[in-house]
Amino acid sequence: MTQALHPLAQRFRGYFPVVIDVETAGFNAKTDALLEIAATMLTMDDDGQLKPAQTLHFHIEPFAGANLEASSLAFNGIDPYNPLRGAVSEREALTEICKAVRKAQKDAGCQRAVVVAHNAAFDQSFLNAAIDRVKLKRSPFHAFVSFDTTTLAALALGQTVLAKACKQAGIEFDNKEAHSALYDTERTAELFCYIVNRWHQLGGWPAPLVAVDDDDVELNHSELAEADD
């Protein structure tokens, strides 16, 4: 008897969306410290409604030789060496996140995790740089594919700023809590779910069946395989 696919495994071409937010000591992922990271995993019910699930959150010790830009620290209000932060190493944080993501991804029947973030290129670059630094094996995350809620919010809501997009979507947003990786991740997860679910409600998913030529199908499969290499 064939086991039915989890609805999430059918929604994003087998990708498992994980919402990520980072707080950093600058804009250069190779040289500037990663100071905080949060990751929210998502689930989907039988009606196709996407919902936030488990969230992991870590304060992180600056890696050896990391650059700390004073302007960035003033902006996010982080004191990297405050013992009350309870900071852990990059390796410990990423190991725990990747372990949880792999389990949730497997449970959902998905093949690979994909970063969802607001201005995703920034968060993904710091995540990838940290994974490279600690030489973490078996990262579940796709190296370059991401879902950017900045773009999605511009399309769906006419807003690109996270706080304004949340307000437009009816999601509570406290500016005093912003620029915390935990808070921003949870709000971004709500925003992403809102946009995906709204598209579903409007009849945009499941996508209408369109007849295609066999040659086009073969070409598309070939292009997808090359993109995943």
Side-chain angles (χ1 to χ4, degrees):
M1 182 175 179
T2 303
Q3 186 176 2
L5 287 175
H6 190 287
L8 190 53
Q10 304 175 64
R11 179 61 181 87
F12 302 110
R13 193 179 151 252
Y15 286 142
F16 181 70
V18 181
V19 185
I20 297 285
D21 189 81
V22 300
E23 296 297 331
T24 69
F27 297 100
N28 189 323
K30 298 294 186 182
T31 60
D32 300 337
L34 172 63
L35 298 176
E36 191 179 356
I37 187 170
T40 296
M41 283 154 281
L42 307 175
T43 188
M44 182 174 279
D45 64 23
D46 292 336
D47 294 324
Q49 293 296 293
L50 192 64
K51 302 175 181 178
Q54 180 187 11
T55 296
L56 285 82
H57 172 235
F58 296 93
H59 294 282
I60 299 179
E61 301 165 348
F63 64 89
N67 181 54
L68 302 170
E69 290 290 339
S71 58
S72 293
L73 300 180
F75 179 75
N76 57 36
I78 296 175
D79 177 358
Y81 299 109
N82 186 334
L84 298 179
R85 292 179 69 226
V88 301
S89 68
E90 286 184 332
R91 174 173 288 279
E92 181 176 343
L94 293 174
T95 297
E96 289 300 314
I97 287 173
C98 289
K99 179 180 177 182
V101 168
R102 279 195 297 269
K103 182 180 185 305
Q105 172 188 305
K106 181 179 179 182
D107 290 345
C110 293
Q111 300 169 356
R112 188 178 294 186
V114 60
V115 168
V116 180
H118 208 71
N119 296 313
F122 178 83
D123 300 85
Q124 188 176 40
S125 69
F126 272 87
L127 175 66
N128 286 344
I131 287 173
D132 288 344
R133 270 194 300 273
V134 302
K135 295 179 172 58
L136 191 69
K137 296 181 179 179
R138 295 182 59 229
S139 168
F141 293 100
H142 198 292
F144 55 86
V145 172
S146 64
F147 299 160
D148 181 20
T149 53
T150 311
T151 303
L152 293 173
L155 172 67
L157 300 164
Q159 298 289 347
T160 58
V161 176
L162 179 59
K164 292 182 178 181
C166 285
K167 182 178 180 179
Q168 189 72 23
I171 298 168
E172 183 178 348
F173 195 95
D174 186 348
N175 284 299
K176 295 179 181 178
E177 297 290 335
H179 308 303
S180 153
L182 177 59
Y183 188 82
D184 286 358
T185 298
E186 290 178 338
R187 297 295 82 73
T188 302
E190 289 185 63
L191 178 63
F192 180 66
C193 290
Y194 172 87
I195 294 171
V196 171
N197 293 338
R198 183 63 176 150
W199 181 247
H200 177 65
Q201 292 163 6
L202 291 171
W205 182 264
L209 294 175
V210 178
V212 295
D213 185 88
D214 289 341
D215 291 338
D216 291 336
V217 172
E218 291 179 4
L219 176 60
N220 287 337
H221 282 307
S222 175
E223 290 174 342
L224 291 173
E226 290 177 2
D228 278 342
D229 287 343

